[in-house]
Amino acid sequence: MISIKHILLFSLLIFSTQSFVTAQSTGLTESFKEHFNTTVQQVKSADDADEKRSILNESFTRMLHAVEQIEEKANLNDSERNMLLAYKSEIESRQNELNGIDGYDEVVDEDLDDFSDYSQQAMEQASRTITISLTTALLIIIILLLL
């Protein structure tokens, strides 16, 4: 028979796991915010417009690479995949706008600081909608740390 100790231990394990998953989804959102916040700080501290543009392009490229790695390696359900694709689309849109491709006008050099702030706000709003599994959250955090 299952003893009371086993039931309590199993219940504690289930509640601990749920807490860990909730904490990881918060950590995921924070990781995206921190990553782009660092990018914005680098852009604002750069002296040259070409350097600012390069920093932004590099950041967008890294984020797109991370999303593509997640698409390939994570086992996502349809809802998670759709949210990830929406986030990827948002990043691609910002990069296209920065470079003036795909129907966008290129961001002028004088507006790069403002564009980085605007992009940061857009990324923060988009990251609020990302609620994905623990495995995917850990994978995203690891990929962003490695880049």
Side-chain angles (χ1 to χ4, degrees):
M1 287 204 165
I2 298 177
S3 68
I4 301 273
K5 281 184 179 180
H6 288 108
I7 292 173
L8 288 175
L9 182 62
F10 184 71
S11 298
L12 180 63
L13 181 63
I14 289 174
F15 290 123
S16 297
T17 303
Q18 176 61 30
S19 297
F20 186 66
V21 169
T22 303
Q24 286 302 319
S25 65
T26 301
L28 170 66
T29 302
E30 290 304 313
S31 293
F32 280 127
K33 286 179 182 179
E34 286 176 27
H35 173 75
F36 210 77
N37 185 41
T38 302
T39 299
V40 170
Q41 291 172 2
Q42 290 173 343
V43 167
K44 289 183 177 184
S45 67
D47 297 326
D48 183 60
D50 290 335
E51 185 181 354
K52 292 177 186 224
R53 193 175 300 280
S54 176
I55 291 167
L56 285 165
N57 262 319
E58 170 101 11
S59 180
F60 289 137
T61 300
R62 283 182 172 186
M63 292 170 69
L64 287 171
H65 179 70
V67 169
E68 288 167 1
Q69 291 294 315
I70 293 162
E71 283 179 309
E72 291 174 13
K73 297 179 181 180
N75 186 17
L76 303 173
N77 64 36
D78 289 337
S79 175
E80 292 168 340
R81 186 170 307 284
N82 289 337
M83 284 187 274
L84 194 61
L85 289 174
Y87 192 68
K88 180 180 178 181
S89 176
E90 179 70 27
I91 297 168
E92 288 173 339
S93 178
R94 296 286 151 249
Q95 190 170 33
N96 290 344
E97 186 175 355
L98 174 68
N99 296 312
I101 55 178
D102 201 25
Y104 289 100
D105 291 331
E106 183 178 32
V107 176
V108 294
D109 293 346
E110 297 80 32
D111 292 339
L112 288 171
D113 287 342
D114 292 336
F115 177 77
S116 66
D117 286 333
Y118 169 72
S119 296
Q120 180 181 25
Q121 291 171 358
M123 293 298 139
E124 286 179 0
Q125 289 175 354
S127 68
R128 284 187 209 145
T129 63
I130 299 176
T131 54
I132 51 182
S133 69
L134 172 63
T135 305
T136 306
L138 291 173
L139 184 60
I140 291 171
I141 291 169
I142 290 169
I143 289 171
L144 284 175
L145 289 174
L146 292 175
L147 294 177

